[in-house]
Amino acid sequence: MRSVFLALALASSAAAATPFSADTLSHAQSLRQHAMSSDHAFEVVESLTTEVGPRLAGSDGDARAVAWAKARFEAMGFDHVRLEPVTIPHWERGYADARVTLPFPQPLVITALGNSVGTPEGGIEAPIVRFATLADLEAADPAEVKGKLAFIDHRMERFKDGRGYGPVVKARGQGAVAAAKKGAAGLLLRSVSTSAHRFAHTGVMRYVDGVAKIPAVAISGPDADQLTRMLQRDPKIQVKLELEAMDHGETTSYNVIGEITGQSQPEEIVLIGAHLDSWDEGTGALDDGAGVGIVTAAAGHILALKQRPARTIRVVLYAAEEIGLIGAKAYRDAHQDTLAQHYVAAEADFGAGPIYRFDTRVNEQALPAMTALQQQLAPLGVERGHNQTWGGPDVSVLPPLGVPVAGLAMDGTDYFDYHHTPDDTLDKIRPEAIQQSAAVYTLFAWLMANAEAELRPIPMPQP
Amino acid sequence: MRSVFLALALASSAAAATPFSADTLSHAQSLRQHAMSSDHAFEVVESLTTEVGPRLAGSDGDARAVAWAKARFEAMGFDHVRLEPVTIPHWERGYADARVTLPFPQPLVITALGNSVGTPEGGIEAPIVRFATLADLEAADPAEVKGKLAFIDHRMERFKDGRGYGPVVKARGQGAVAAAKKGAAGLLLRSVSTSAHRFAHTGVMRYVDGVAKIPAVAISGPDADQLTRMLQRDPKIQVKLELEAMDHGETTSYNVIGEITGQSQPEEIVLIGAHLDSWDEGTGALDDGAGVGIVTAAAGHILALKQRPARTIRVVLYAAEEIGLIGAKAYRDAHQDTLAQHYVAAEADFGAGPIYRFDTRVNEQALPAMTALQQQLAPLGVERGHNQTWGGPDVSVLPPLGVPVAGLAMDGTDYFDYHHTPDDTLDKIRPEAIQQSAAVYTLFAWLMANAEAELRPIPMPQP
């Protein structure tokens, strides 16, 4: 008898901890089965990357992507579909060329960093000076840098969670300003990349008022190694750089929004997002066509249920993420009056998966509920993670205003092999990986939209 | 006693079969040890690819490569170093651009095929028509092809010995002529490639008299797949092509030759070759900087011996292989009077190795001697192969004139991932692989230069 009592006690304890009704869990099981036999997410990415392709914020491709997304959302049967305008800068890459001119003449594989100015007509030709890191450049004697092309050769490390990115990407954002402060003529950045292939990885860079705007380019990893070998032979390596890089001023893009209206608490929002824009050289399959496919398929799976969720599920395809989270900030500002009704937000923007960990930023009282949610994801291979996530680039602007977020961590081991290159194309997505990721988002959205748990107030780092 | 008699009989039989003196074998052992602890081959490729880089036949880089090779050979202490002039065409790639214009506008990753004409000013814009193979294009109704860009989408298969190349590369050489005969405006060739990355692979193509010269480009594998996906959605896919492609007429390059003069049979030649030219987009590390490193290091290891070989060892760095074996044919013609004294020839032109098999084309009487030679290579992992090799691209012109050849077969599993792309750079060479290959060539050259065996007349396929 003792064992029966124990079993009942455990069952009762488990039941007390769950924030989900039996009905919610029953639908979760159906959704898991449906999602794990669906190719909806892959099909969405295939459609976007084939029929639209590159969609740099402000470009014609961007406008076609918005039209594509609106039409697709409308065809899917969302309860509401709308476009929310976002004012964005329109930068265009144009022609770019770099070559070593002396003493070992040969072309380099480069790409302009996003937002870079062009070179004067005819280009600039100058010696290069190498720094292992941005910090080394910042510490340099200006006499060593003046008139030269500053070459930052910081190699990114490969990790499953992509944590090698942060320490290196700072040089992409701030390198040109640091170089210009020392009088440099331009910036050559070793690509923020884990790839062994000869692709240059673009990405956004910044200028600041009062510091000269100098052209900034990324060079491929093999080219960075080549320059280093040249410098070992001869400290005087001369490079010629020609960049067209056009600033077309401001234009309008759109956050594309699709909603499944909640049945009992429609004013409360479970936001799942991805960004619709991409860089211009690849077709943006991993970044972030995959995310678009994942959150779109998740909503599609839930729309296929006869039953609506308790809360509203809002899919947001953000505009202009790549050039500075511009759609995300516009969403935050446009929705400031209802941010308090945002129950939780999450974003898929780290490739196609699979998802291996469920992180959160919720009130500590809600942690048992989050564990209960993770237990529903466990059959898909998802572990419980930490409570310190920012939820992804675009949704990271929400926790500072009190919105709880979740991070569904994707295996990003290879992500930075393709990130921001011409090689970010559909063939890099494994159908079974994106299927699992879409299944996880499906369950996440469904369970959050039906959870009985208070996630606020959220913990924030002390200043 | 019986076992002692048997052992003596076997030893005697083995001694009778070996074409190598004890002294030759003793030196072979030293050479193997020396070569397997040397980085000479890698160091040669590093120097060539860094200090010269791309060296398309006829270009400034080609001229610098010739000067580099001559200086290096002279510094190494060859008994003779000389340049033999070769008249070659000088083609230059120039600007190249292609994009889908309708109905899914986006850029394509392409490269001009070597020898292609450019497009008229302003480019050409035409619908595409897809064929799975060259044979399908050749069988097509001209009405289906006229005025269009013929797209041959033949995917290469990956094999260790590279045998997937032959069935596909025919479309690169002959595709433009086949397309032009049907009235096509141009050729889009799926790259001859095993890569999953977005590189277009160049390579030489041919026109014939009496057939219109139309522009011919390779597109990357991912772009070929993209076009196929587009065609599944809409049969009318329009592409715009702009190629600069300049024909600069004839110029002079050089076969670079270094010799170790034979001690007792100096008039007999053991030729080990590689080609000095490369395509223009990569630094030609695998194709064929590696071969240059391998045969140069092999000679260097033998030069380090106090003893000279019986026969002359001649290292030939061929000019203009990529654009049609032009240096090879010039060598054959310039040396026709002494081809009968060419004991054997071999070429390293399939990457950096390792070498796994020793093939030959020698008289059947000499096969036991070849087995004895292979036994000296066996500690390096080299198996005995067949007797039907052509010895490599440049030396393949010699067997029709009676010259015995050997083929030291390299592991080419990944070779066509990089072949003729910007991604053919030094980092693709594993130092331990090229070290082994150089050790094999060292032993091969030394043993052939001292072998007591008649290799002629060689077997040839019946016409």
Side-chain angles (χ1 to χ4, degrees):
Chain A
M1 288 297 283
R2 188 166 175 273
S3 63
V4 171
F5 278 121
L6 188 61
L8 284 172
L10 283 170
S12 159
S13 153
T18 185
F20 306 116
S21 72
D23 191 50
T24 294
L25 291 176
S26 166
H27 281 104
Q29 191 171 343
S30 307
L31 284 167
R32 188 163 48 226
Q33 284 169 359
H34 174 64
M36 287 303 284
S37 62
S38 163
D39 62 359
H40 191 162
F42 188 87
E43 187 269 316
V44 168
V45 194
E46 177 177 336
S47 171
L48 174 61
T49 57
T50 304
E51 295 160 28
V52 177
R55 46 199 181 278
L56 180 66
S59 68
D60 290 348
D62 187 32
R64 289 188 291 115
V66 168
W68 170 93
K70 180 166 181 282
R72 180 163 278 263
F73 277 12
E74 285 167 351
M76 283 173 68
F78 276 101
D79 299 316
H80 296 287
V81 175
R82 63 179 179 277
L83 304 183
E84 298 187 347
V86 183
T87 300
I88 61 169
H90 179 203
W91 175 88
E92 190 181 0
R93 178 176 312 282
Y95 173 79
D97 186 80
R99 51 191 61 248
V100 176
T101 51
L102 288 169
F104 309 123
Q106 54 193 275
L108 299 170
V109 170
I110 66 153
T111 189
L113 293 181
N115 199 38
S116 174
V117 296
T119 54
E121 186 74 24
I124 52 179
E125 185 169 350
I128 65 173
V129 52
R130 178 184 178 277
F131 299 98
T133 64
L134 173 62
D136 287 354
L137 167 60
E138 288 169 340
D141 179 351
E144 293 294 306
V145 184
K146 190 169 164 51
K148 296 180 183 168
L149 296 168
F151 163 37
I152 303 179
D153 192 22
H154 197 166
R155 188 189 298 260
M156 179 180 168
E157 284 186 76
R158 183 188 299 277
F159 294 104
K160 183 176 181 180
D161 65 359
R163 69 179 182 276
Y165 189 60
V168 178
V169 75
K170 207 176 150 188
R172 192 186 75 206
Q174 304 170 23
V177 166
K181 282 181 178 170
K182 306 283 182 180
L187 175 73
L188 297 184
L189 180 78
R190 183 191 184 98
S191 288
V192 179
S193 163
T194 51
S195 170
H197 297 291
R198 203 170 175 202
F199 292 109
H201 298 235
T202 191
V204 77
M205 57 77 61
R206 296 278 162 231
Y207 296 114
V208 298
D209 288 342
V211 178
K213 294 185 177 186
I214 59 174
V217 303
I219 62 176
S220 84
D223 287 82
D225 292 340
Q226 181 82 330
L227 288 182
T228 298
R229 279 190 295 270
M230 287 182 184
L231 287 166
Q232 285 161 355
R233 286 161 162 79
D234 187 335
K236 292 187 179 167
I237 304 297
Q238 189 106 345
V239 167
K240 181 167 185 189
L241 189 62
E242 290 181 90
L243 281 191
E244 196 175 12
M246 291 158 277
D247 175 358
H248 296 301
E250 286 190 343
T251 185
T252 301
S253 188
Y254 298 89
N255 290 331
V256 181
I257 295 180
E259 277 181 7
I260 304 171
T261 305
Q263 200 163 19
S264 54
Q265 294 147 276
E267 72 289 356
E268 293 194 15
I269 309 295
V270 171
L271 187 159
I272 53 175
H275 66 85
L276 188 55
D277 68 312
S278 75
W279 282 105
D280 51 333
E281 297 189 293
T283 61
L286 289 167
D287 186 13
D288 186 23
V292 170
I294 288 164
V295 298
T296 300
H301 297 330
I302 293 169
L303 281 168
L305 289 180
K306 284 186 183 147
Q307 188 169 332
R308 283 292 191 253
R311 298 186 179 87
T312 291
I313 294 173
R314 178 178 290 171
V315 178
V316 183
L317 302 185
Y318 290 100
E321 187 269 351
E322 294 294 2
I323 59 173
L325 311 182
I326 299 176
K329 292 170 190 166
Y331 179 92
R332 177 195 62 193
D333 296 345
H335 294 267
Q336 55 184 316
D337 292 347
T338 61
L339 289 186
Q341 283 81 55
H342 280 58
Y343 184 69
V344 71
E347 180 177 21
D349 182 21
F350 200 54
I355 291 169
Y356 65 96
R357 202 179 64 209
F358 172 50
D359 299 328
T360 53
R361 182 178 295 272
V362 299
N363 190 280
E364 291 213 346
Q365 303 272 350
L367 292 180
M370 296 302 97
T371 300
L373 195 155
Q374 176 266 328
Q375 284 167 357
Q376 295 299 312
L377 306 180
L380 299 171
V382 181
E383 300 170 4
R384 179 68 179 117
H386 56 69
N387 196 40
Q388 298 170 334
T389 187
W390 295 96
D394 289 306
V395 304
S396 72
V397 303
L398 300 178
L401 298 172
V403 178
V405 288
L408 293 156
M410 291 172 166
D411 184 337
T413 307
D414 300 333
Y415 184 66
F416 292 103
D417 289 359
Y418 305 113
H419 187 244
H420 298 184
T421 70
D423 203 25
D424 179 4
T425 49
L426 182 66
D427 50 298
K428 309 310 181 302
I429 295 183
R430 291 188 303 115
E432 63 274 24
I434 196 170
Q435 181 182 66
Q436 185 265 10
S437 295
V440 171
Y441 264 85
T442 305
L443 287 173
F444 168 78
W446 173 255
L447 292 167
M448 282 295 194
N450 291 286
E452 292 167 26
E454 177 54 70
L455 306 188
R456 297 181 180 229
I458 62 170
M460 290 292 285
Q462 296 306 308
Chain B
M1 286 299 281
R2 190 165 174 274
S3 64
V4 171
F5 278 123
L6 187 62
L8 283 172
L10 284 169
S12 161
S13 153
T18 186
F20 305 117
S21 72
D23 192 49
T24 294
L25 292 175
S26 165
H27 280 103
Q29 190 172 344
S30 306
L31 284 168
R32 188 161 49 225
Q33 284 169 359
H34 174 63
M36 286 302 286
S37 63
S38 164
D39 62 359
H40 191 163
F42 188 87
E43 187 269 317
V44 168
V45 193
E46 177 177 337
S47 171
L48 174 61
T49 58
T50 304
E51 296 160 27
V52 177
R55 46 199 181 277
L56 181 65
S59 68
D60 289 348
D62 187 31
R64 287 188 292 115
V66 168
W68 170 93
K70 180 166 181 282
R72 180 163 277 263
F73 278 12
E74 284 168 351
M76 282 172 69
F78 277 100
D79 299 316
H80 297 286
V81 175
R82 64 179 179 275
L83 305 183
E84 297 186 349
V86 183
T87 300
I88 60 169
H90 178 203
W91 175 87
E92 190 181 0
R93 176 175 313 281
Y95 173 78
D97 186 80
R99 50 191 61 247
V100 176
T101 52
L102 289 170
F104 309 124
Q106 54 194 275
L108 298 171
V109 171
I110 65 152
T111 189
L113 293 182
N115 198 39
S116 175
V117 296
T119 54
E121 185 75 23
I124 52 179
E125 186 170 350
I128 64 173
V129 53
R130 178 183 177 276
F131 300 98
T133 64
L134 174 62
D136 287 354
L137 167 59
E138 288 170 339
D141 178 351
E144 293 293 305
V145 184
K146 190 169 163 51
K148 296 181 183 167
L149 296 167
F151 163 37
I152 303 179
D153 193 22
H154 197 165
R155 188 188 298 260
M156 179 181 169
E157 285 186 76
R158 183 188 298 277
F159 294 104
K160 184 177 181 181
D161 65 0
R163 68 180 184 275
Y165 189 61
V168 179
V169 75
K170 209 176 149 187
R172 193 186 74 205
Q174 303 170 24
V177 166
K181 283 180 178 171
K182 308 283 183 181
L187 176 72
L188 297 184
L189 180 79
R190 183 191 184 98
S191 287
V192 178
S193 164
T194 51
S195 171
H197 297 290
R198 203 170 176 202
F199 291 109
H201 298 234
T202 192
V204 77
M205 57 77 62
R206 295 279 162 231
Y207 297 113
V208 299
D209 288 343
V211 178
K213 293 185 177 186
I214 60 173
V217 303
I219 62 176
S220 84
D223 288 82
D225 292 341
Q226 181 83 329
L227 288 183
T228 298
R229 280 189 296 268
M230 288 182 184
L231 287 167
Q232 286 162 355
R233 286 162 163 78
D234 187 335
K236 292 185 180 167
I237 304 296
Q238 189 105 345
V239 167
K240 182 166 186 190
L241 189 62
E242 290 182 88
L243 281 193
E244 196 174 14
M246 292 158 277
D247 176 358
H248 295 301
E250 286 190 341
T251 185
T252 301
S253 187
Y254 299 89
N255 289 330
V256 181
I257 295 179
E259 278 181 6
I260 304 171
T261 306
Q263 201 163 18
S264 54
Q265 295 148 275
E267 73 289 354
E268 293 194 15
I269 309 294
V270 171
L271 187 160
I272 53 175
H275 66 83
L276 188 56
D277 68 312
S278 76
W279 283 104
D280 50 333
E281 296 189 292
T283 61
L286 289 167
D287 186 12
D288 187 22
V292 170
I294 288 163
V295 298
T296 301
H301 297 329
I302 293 169
L303 280 167
L305 289 179
K306 284 190 181 142
Q307 188 169 333
R308 285 292 191 251
R311 297 187 180 87
T312 290
I313 294 173
R314 178 178 289 173
V315 178
V316 182
L317 303 184
Y318 289 100
E321 187 271 351
E322 294 293 2
I323 58 173
L325 310 183
I326 300 176
K329 292 169 191 166
Y331 178 92
R332 176 196 62 193
D333 296 344
H335 293 267
Q336 55 184 317
D337 292 347
T338 61
L339 289 186
Q341 283 82 56
H342 280 59
Y343 183 70
V344 70
E347 180 177 18
D349 182 21
F350 200 53
I355 291 168
Y356 65 96
R357 202 179 64 208
F358 172 51
D359 299 328
T360 53
R361 182 178 294 272
V362 299
N363 190 280
E364 290 211 347
Q365 302 273 350
L367 291 180
M370 296 300 96
T371 300
L373 196 157
Q374 177 265 328
Q375 285 167 356
Q376 296 299 312
L377 306 179
L380 299 171
V382 181
E383 300 169 4
R384 179 67 178 117
H386 56 69
N387 196 41
Q388 299 170 333
T389 188
W390 293 97
D394 288 307
V395 303
S396 72
V397 303
L398 301 178
L401 297 172
V403 178
V405 289
L408 293 155
M410 289 173 168
D411 185 337
T413 307
D414 300 333
Y415 184 65
F416 292 103
D417 289 359
Y418 305 114
H419 186 244
H420 297 184
T421 72
D423 203 24
D424 179 3
T425 49
L426 182 67
D427 49 299
K428 309 310 180 302
I429 295 182
R430 291 190 301 115
E432 64 274 24
I434 196 170
Q435 181 181 67
Q436 185 265 10
S437 296
V440 171
Y441 264 85
T442 305
L443 287 174
F444 167 78
W446 172 255
L447 292 167
M448 282 294 195
N450 291 287
E452 291 167 27
E454 177 54 70
L455 306 188
R456 296 180 181 230
I458 63 170
M460 290 293 285
Q462 296 306 309

